[in-house]
Amino acid sequence: MGRRVRLGLAGLGRMGRLHAENLVRSPSIELVRVVDTVEEAARATGEQLEVEWSTSYEDLLQDPEIEGVVLVTPTALHAQMIGQAVGVGKHVFCEKPIALELEPTARAIEAAATAGVKLQVGFHRRFDPDWAAAAARIRAGELGDVHLFRSSLRDKRPPSIDYIAGSGGFFADVTIHDLDTARWMAGEIDEVTAVGAALTDPAFAELGDIDHAVVALRFASGGLGVIDNSRSAGYGYECSAEVMGSRATVRIGHHRLVHNQWLTPGEASVDWVVDFTQLFRQAYLLELEEFAAAIRALAAFVLARACDRSFRERRTVRLQREDGVQGVMYDVAEAV
Amino acid sequence: MGRRVRLGLAGLGRMGRLHAENLVRSPSIELVRVVDTVEEAARATGEQLEVEWSTSYEDLLQDPEIEGVVLVTPTALHAQMIGQAVGVGKHVFCEKPIALELEPTARAIEAAATAGVKLQVGFHRRFDPDWAAAAARIRAGELGDVHLFRSSLRDKRPPSIDYIAGSGGFFADVTIHDLDTARWMAGEIDEVTAVGAALTDPAFAELGDIDHAVVALRFASGGLGVIDNSRSAGYGYECSAEVMGSRATVRIGHHRLVHNQWLTPGEASVDWVVDFTQLFRQAYLLELEEFAAAIRALAAFVLARACDRSFRERRTVRLQREDGVQGVMYDVAEAV
Amino acid sequence: MGRRVRLGLAGLGRMGRLHAENLVRSPSIELVRVVDTVEEAARATGEQLEVEWSTSYEDLLQDPEIEGVVLVTPTALHAQMIGQAVGVGKHVFCEKPIALELEPTARAIEAAATAGVKLQVGFHRRFDPDWAAAAARIRAGELGDVHLFRSSLRDKRPPSIDYIAGSGGFFADVTIHDLDTARWMAGEIDEVTAVGAALTDPAFAELGDIDHAVVALRFASGGLGVIDNSRSAGYGYECSAEVMGSRATVRIGHHRLVHNQWLTPGEASVDWVVDFTQLFRQAYLLELEEFAAAIRALAAFVLARACDRSFRERRTVRLQREDGVQGVMYDVAEAV
Amino acid sequence: MGRRVRLGLAGLGRMGRLHAENLVRSPSIELVRVVDTVEEAARATGEQLEVEWSTSYEDLLQDPEIEGVVLVTPTALHAQMIGQAVGVGKHVFCEKPIALELEPTARAIEAAATAGVKLQVGFHRRFDPDWAAAAARIRAGELGDVHLFRSSLRDKRPPSIDYIAGSGGFFADVTIHDLDTARWMAGEIDEVTAVGAALTDPAFAELGDIDHAVVALRFASGGLGVIDNSRSAGYGYECSAEVMGSRATVRIGHHRLVHNQWLTPGEASVDWVVDFTQLFRQAYLLELEEFAAAIRALAAFVLARACDRSFRERRTVRLQREDGVQGVMYDVAEAV
């Protein structure tokens, strides 16, 4: 088993508390301290989980026993907090996205690389057993050439408009997960063509944002892809994908919390999960047990930006790609 | 295609009308005449389907163009009407059971055999594409040795008590289908052990009948079987089976009329058929296109009688079996 | 039931024979004659189905008893043959598309309208019970506002390159079905954005055609849509759709010929249909029993043309729409 | 969270190692020491999990810090080891069954009750989220009256004949789980009728044991039940149930480790779990976090014995039941 890795966590909103609960349950991690600028939030979680708590991020940075920090703070604070942690040699797990702009995102990744610490961004699908099993078999060549990739990510209900305003926009907040999955399962991307709409609330349009999108992809391999996203699926949370290859096709997706079927007159029904915390309980636990290479975050971020540009300029956006020391780097080329 | 076979039909209750509608749709059958002692019933169907109609069974028997009769009359009339048809050399399709007693059942089968006409009893499962496909693969040896057979037949709601009173009892009216399937898919039967209960209506108990049963089977091959039956499943009609073999296991059962899935908040639901006419539309059509050997009816009938005896005497009933000119014959041996 | 409608059929390739077999099984249709310029094909089907046969289309046109013709000839012949039939006052059922160009398509529809005869194009999905049931419930308002429409049509293997060469291109030959479904289930379309690729055979590229496509739609209602198509899914035939609304979501799709599940060590498997003739057996039968308004064919055809233009010009194509005497008419506007 | 409960574990076979791994992962338990009479087994697990290890059960009994013991030793040792632990005031979690005879089983339960320590027997289904959810809704009355209960427990392959010889017989080793579930979900049992067969290996018959069984139940409520069991299902592990009530029916069962569907030509397939350790990973973890009343073990044990008697004497066995201080007690009455 080895000695437990000692971590601190900053940010005790909904996702922060979920991560904290997973951390104290992990056999390979010791959660040393939780911090939140709201004292009541820090105390409540600290006392419930029986870990140290305080209101200052400095308490994590100054503790020599803490090897890494888990950042679940608002996106606007990510880049600066990453910089501080990296500066004192601590590894960082940060909820996506690193920042709302490309430049601070790239800078944070570079700082971590230079300091030789790990910077992992929370793409939880990569840690879910179902998704990982499919990816492994795809990599093993069971599908043959990939001709078509399809992925759906849909929330049951939109988050608050406050959250939306600071989210970095639909593509960077939602589609980024599907773009990461697309690269993971079907390879690098040459073109994106995005269509979007604000359908459920005028507040989205007032913010210049959308709540539904469809994105067509062209992969470097020549294959095509399609992503559909919604902030308001109504029936529940959806996270599914299909990869169609020349030799086989795989479908991924599991939306049940309880595996019972109820039969009532004329109908057979099963439950459907309401959000990602229900569906990815195990993935959230697993992702925190593995601090993996962070560079994938940057690639998906550039792709999300390109979707946004395609949507706004009403045209296909072509991408340039190069393999660098930090992994695959994307840049937005001019449309042909 | 060949010339259409000319048939007449007697008995225009619910099943009779369903058969009549199938007969006029069949490319290989010409429905010449329908009869029912109730003039209004005969006229209504005759005019709707544009076929001759009248109130006398004699009209079918005397018509030299009619090659066979389809009997959908009450069970109490079956044996006599079969005898009349066989006497004038007409083939007979008869809804199960032939009679409520063993002796007239055997006599009817023997008369048909002697006269050289076909006597087919309506075991519609044998004509359903799903069931037939499973049976064919079982016969081809894909399962290996059969270790366990399981079958469920359940109605959504009980029929009228009048129907129950003339039904010949639960085992002869309901279980007989599963017993026929058991022989078809897992071979001949050595022992039956039946347990029953009247749960939904005291009228069942007053008639000495039941509305639920569980029957354990021991096959001649050594394998075991289990049947469960209900007159009152509530959620809909159930007709499913499983055959577990040493090399593979097959599950049969399809209960949807429409193949749509509806997602509403927190739930995914599909439809469920309400009765056998919905589920076996195609089978009813197919069975009428094939007049097959009738002897199987007798075997299943004896087995149903043995279930009834096991249930009433609270003990396992052992069966004797011999292969005769009319197929496999069963007799009830004394329990060991 | 009424008198049987008397029809003739021209063209005895694979689809022609399938339609002919359905026609002789229909209780409401009498197939009077089949014709094919290849005498051997005409004789074989005529003798098998016991209907008149010959080699000249004129034999159908001149027969006063024939009320309508079913055209299953190559697309290049459709427009002319429709014109001839309409000219002698016969109704026409024609396999899609009417023609490869917009102008003769519109002319054929107008000629039929002027002559007062029906011209039905074979959009079989509209006649399939599963699809029709979903559409009916959508029209009844059960979904609320439609936010997202998704549809997949995929063939197991591509047809011959000869067929491809005369097919009118991928969008007019394949996507046209999904475009018709989109209009049927989610309403009129304002924008299409198409991406395509030739992945399985260089012959597609040589013909300037593709074998895979993804199309994003924007509906007049504001909702979004996505279509994916493949000529080479490998695993079988796929025909499925999903319509996501504000109150409920429906998923349509049924790909099994036999409803058995086979369990072998570590695996549960079911069958998957290989082509549309397996899946839509009932729909093909039903569509021939109903000659419905043909104008829908024109609308879907214009949409397919717009997809093609979007794909070739690498831009979103905006559509203009007007309600005319012949139903909804589309025209390709300039992209905004 | 509270202080972690300190436990010791005895017996490091397959199930023992699985429990030990779960114990070190539990946030509410501290595994203090593992013991096994085979030094190599004790050392291997102790070093791997970084816990104390030794070869003597006394080391657990004498450690004042250890509050409870987990017994995963051979059944023949259970009763004595429970007695020793109870004697020094330690709580006991013991794999089922407590003993192969009724008398030592009852004595062990009584000793624990007298000493005021918990004695929990491992009926893991009670701790599985799917099964617990169904049971909760049944208790809440959602099914109405229970008319039919059905349960299947099947192993993919039989265990070694050595294991069989010491297993206490098929009903006490396998059926006992379904009997416990039957009582949990459908209430107390009045009658059992069991049929069994040895089909896969003559060694079963030589031991007087069987490898397949069907058991019919009659519940005190009047409802019927049926259990089927196999030591050799071939395709994988099966653990499913159905409870049919007057208002609704629930089906429980989930047999997938990975939720991917693979499509290959003509086939769609999913995985199937191979044994109970795959399926009940979470249940095993949860059951160790809860030491519940043990008396349920005794009731199920008596029922298993009654099945055995019914099978051997070829007759239905009637049960007497009384509610005592230790919960529901069953006794075998004479058959009526």
Side-chain angles (χ1 to χ4, degrees), chain B residues 30 61 83 106 114 149 158 161 169 177 184 212-213 254 268 286 311 326:
Chain B
E30 181 183 345
L61 298 177
T114 305
F149 167 86
I161 287 297
H177 286 288
W184 186 29
H212 287 77
H254 180 236
L286 293 173
F311 162 63
Q326 295 154 2

Side-chain angles (χ1 to χ4, degrees), chain A:
Chain A
M1 305 278 293
R3 195 176 53 75
R4 295 184 179 216
V5 174
R6 298 171 66 92
L7 300 179
L9 179 144
L12 290 165
R14 179 191 185 193
M15 274 304 295
R17 289 194 304 274
L18 187 149
H19 280 311
E21 284 165 18
N22 281 330
L23 288 167
V24 297
R25 274 172 178 70
S26 164
S28 54
I29 296 170
E30 181 182 346
L31 180 59
V32 175
R33 177 182 293 269
V34 294
V35 302
D36 194 291
T37 52
V38 179
E39 181 175 340
E40 196 40 50
R43 174 188 293 120
T45 298
E47 291 182 357
Q48 183 206 337
L49 302 182
E50 299 184 337
V51 299
E52 298 293 319
W53 61 270
S54 56
T55 58
S56 164
Y57 183 43
E58 280 299 311
D59 294 345
L60 299 186
L61 298 176
Q62 302 307 330
D63 185 339
E65 290 219 320
I66 289 179
E67 298 163 80
V69 294
V70 175
L71 303 181
V72 207
T73 49
T75 298
L77 304 176
H78 285 175
Q80 185 193 337
M81 291 177 81
I82 291 170
Q84 292 174 273
V86 163
V88 295
K90 298 207 186 301
H91 301 293
V92 181
F93 175 97
C94 181
E95 274 300 307
K96 61 90 201 159
I98 290 175
L100 298 186
E101 299 303 321
L102 183 54
E103 197 273 334
T105 303
R107 203 150 17 97
I109 292 168
E110 193 159 336
T114 305
V117 299
K118 280 191 181 287
L119 171 54
Q120 180 182 337
V121 176
F123 286 120
H124 52 268
R125 249 185 254 181
R126 297 215 178 208
F127 300 92
D128 182 86
D130 292 344
W131 294 74
R137 291 180 63 175
I138 292 170
R139 280 195 200 297
E142 292 192 41
L143 291 193
D145 297 331
V146 172
H147 290 159
L148 189 67
F149 167 86
R150 192 166 63 70
S151 179
S152 295
L153 178 54
R154 306 173 188 160
D155 286 316
K156 186 175 185 179
R157 281 181 294 265
S160 69
I161 287 298
D162 278 0
Y163 175 90
I164 297 292
S167 71
F170 190 76
F171 297 107
D173 193 49
V174 176
T175 315
I176 194 169
H177 286 287
D178 291 301
L179 292 165
D180 182 62
T181 304
R183 293 181 60 238
W184 187 29
M185 297 202 167
E188 298 303 341
I189 295 167
D190 270 358
E191 282 181 24
V192 299
T193 310
V195 174
L199 300 173
T200 60
D201 190 335
F204 285 102
E206 285 161 20
L207 289 167
D209 205 351
I210 55 177
D211 56 6
H212 287 76
V214 166
V215 182
L217 309 172
R218 188 187 301 277
F219 291 95
S221 67
L224 302 181
V226 60
I227 294 169
D228 75 71
N229 293 137
S230 170
R231 287 230 188 253
S232 181
Y235 60 85
Y237 177 67
E238 175 85 30
C239 188
S240 54
E242 177 182 21
V243 194
M244 192 180 95
S246 55
R247 287 219 291 269
T249 291
V250 63
R251 293 183 175 172
I252 313 162
H254 179 234
H255 298 91
R256 295 170 67 176
L257 199 55
V258 179
H259 300 89
N260 297 336
Q261 185 185 36
W262 285 81
L263 311 182
T264 46
E267 189 178 273
S269 67
V270 296
D271 70 305
W272 200 279
V273 292
V274 301
D275 64 19
F276 54 93
T277 63
Q278 284 190 335
L279 192 58
F280 287 110
R281 281 180 304 175
Q282 199 173 358
Y284 284 120
L285 203 143
L286 293 173
E287 75 175 356
L288 285 168
E289 302 208 5
E290 175 176 343
F291 267 35
I295 202 67
R296 67 175 73 126
L298 182 59
F301 185 84
V302 178
L303 291 168
R305 277 274 163 258
C307 285
D308 200 75
R309 189 160 165 185
S310 163
F311 163 65
R312 292 183 192 288
E313 301 183 6
R314 302 178 62 81
R315 63 181 183 87
T316 295
V317 170
R318 187 162 183 83
L319 298 146
Q320 284 179 330
R321 192 176 62 250
E322 61 181 54
D323 292 353
V325 288
Q326 295 153 4
V328 176
M329 297 292 294
Y330 274 103
D331 201 3
V332 177
E334 283 314 291
V336 182

Side-chain angles (χ1 to χ4, degrees), chain D:
Chain D
M1 305 280 292
R3 196 177 53 76
R4 295 186 179 215
V5 174
R6 298 171 66 92
L7 300 179
L9 179 144
L12 290 164
R14 180 192 185 193
M15 275 304 295
R17 290 195 303 274
L18 187 149
H19 279 310
E21 283 165 18
N22 281 331
L23 288 167
V24 297
R25 273 171 179 72
S26 164
S28 53
I29 296 170
E30 181 182 345
L31 180 59
V32 176
R33 177 182 293 269
V34 293
V35 302
D36 194 291
T37 51
V38 179
E39 180 173 342
E40 196 40 49
R43 175 189 292 119
T45 298
E47 290 181 357
Q48 182 207 335
L49 302 180
E50 298 183 339
V51 299
E52 299 294 318
W53 61 270
S54 56
T55 59
S56 165
Y57 183 42
E58 280 299 312
D59 294 345
L60 299 186
L61 297 177
Q62 301 307 330
D63 186 337
E65 290 216 322
I66 290 179
E67 298 162 82
V69 294
V70 175
L71 303 182
V72 208
T73 48
T75 298
L77 303 177
H78 284 174
Q80 185 193 336
M81 292 178 81
I82 291 170
Q84 291 174 274
V86 163
V88 294
K90 298 208 188 300
H91 301 293
V92 180
F93 174 96
C94 182
E95 275 299 307
K96 59 90 201 163
I98 290 176
L100 299 185
E101 300 303 321
L102 183 55
E103 196 274 334
T105 303
R107 204 152 14 100
I109 292 168
E110 195 160 333
T114 304
V117 297
K118 279 190 181 288
L119 170 55
Q120 179 182 337
V121 176
F123 285 120
H124 52 269
R125 250 185 251 181
R126 298 218 177 206
F127 300 93
D128 182 86
D130 292 343
W131 294 75
R137 292 180 64 176
I138 292 171
R139 281 195 199 294
E142 291 193 42
L143 291 193
D145 297 330
V146 172
H147 290 160
L148 190 67
F149 168 85
R150 192 166 62 70
S151 179
S152 295
L153 178 54
R154 306 173 188 160
D155 286 316
K156 187 175 186 179
R157 279 182 294 265
S160 69
I161 287 298
D162 277 358
Y163 176 90
I164 297 292
S167 71
F170 190 76
F171 296 107
D173 193 49
V174 176
T175 315
I176 194 169
H177 286 288
D178 291 301
L179 292 166
D180 183 61
T181 304
R183 292 182 61 237
W184 186 31
M185 298 202 166
E188 298 303 339
I189 295 167
D190 271 357
E191 282 181 23
V192 299
T193 311
V195 175
L199 300 174
T200 60
D201 190 334
F204 284 103
E206 285 162 21
L207 288 167
D209 205 352
I210 53 178
D211 57 5
H212 287 76
V214 166
V215 181
L217 309 173
R218 187 187 302 276
F219 291 95
S221 68
L224 302 181
V226 60
I227 295 168
D228 75 71
N229 294 137
S230 170
R231 287 227 187 255
S232 180
Y235 60 86
Y237 177 66
E238 175 84 31
C239 187
S240 53
E242 178 182 22
V243 193
M244 191 179 96
S246 55
R247 288 219 291 269
T249 292
V250 63
R251 293 182 177 174
I252 313 161
H254 179 235
H255 298 90
R256 295 171 65 177
L257 199 56
V258 180
H259 301 89
N260 297 337
Q261 185 185 35
W262 285 82
L263 310 182
T264 46
E267 188 178 274
S269 67
V270 296
D271 71 305
W272 199 280
V273 292
V274 300
D275 64 20
F276 55 93
T277 62
Q278 284 191 336
L279 191 57
F280 286 108
R281 281 179 305 175
Q282 199 173 357
Y284 284 120
L285 203 143
L286 293 174
E287 74 175 355
L288 284 168
E289 303 208 3
E290 178 178 341
F291 266 38
I295 202 65
R296 65 175 72 124
L298 182 60
F301 185 84
V302 178
L303 290 168
R305 277 277 163 255
C307 286
D308 199 77
R309 189 159 164 185
S310 163
F311 163 63
R312 293 186 190 286
E313 302 182 7
R314 302 177 63 82
R315 64 183 182 89
T316 295
V317 170
R318 187 161 183 83
L319 297 147
Q320 283 178 330
R321 191 174 64 251
E322 61 182 54
D323 291 354
V325 288
Q326 295 155 4
V328 176
M329 297 292 294
Y330 273 103
D331 200 4
V332 177
E334 284 312 292
V336 181

Side-chain angles (χ1 to χ4, degrees), chain B residues 306-325:
Chain B
C307 286
D308 199 76
R309 188 160 166 184
S310 163
F311 162 63
R312 293 186 190 286
E313 302 183 6
R314 302 178 63 82
R315 63 182 184 86
T316 295
V317 170
R318 186 159 184 84
L319 298 147
Q320 283 179 330
R321 192 176 63 250
E322 59 182 54
D323 291 354
V325 287

Side-chain angles (χ1 to χ4, degrees), chain C residues 51-103:
Chain C
V51 298
E52 299 293 318
W53 61 270
S54 56
T55 59
S56 165
Y57 183 41
E58 281 299 311
D59 295 345
L60 299 186
L61 299 176
Q62 302 308 329
D63 185 339
E65 290 217 321
I66 289 179
E67 299 163 82
V69 294
V70 175
L71 302 182
V72 208
T73 49
T75 298
L77 304 176
H78 286 174
Q80 186 194 335
M81 292 178 81
I82 291 170
Q84 292 175 272
V86 164
V88 295
K90 299 207 186 301
H91 301 292
V92 180
F93 175 96
C94 181
E95 274 301 306
K96 59 89 200 162
I98 291 175
L100 298 185
E101 299 304 320
L102 183 55
E103 197 274 334

Side-chain angles (χ1 to χ4, degrees), chain B residues 27 30 51 104 113 118 122 125 130 133 151 163-164 180 196 198 268 281-282 289 300 307 310 328:
Chain B
E30 181 183 345
V51 298
K118 279 192 182 287
R125 247 184 255 181
D130 292 343
S151 180
Y163 176 90
I164 297 293
D180 183 61
R281 282 180 303 175
Q282 199 172 357
E289 302 207 4
C307 286
S310 163
V328 176

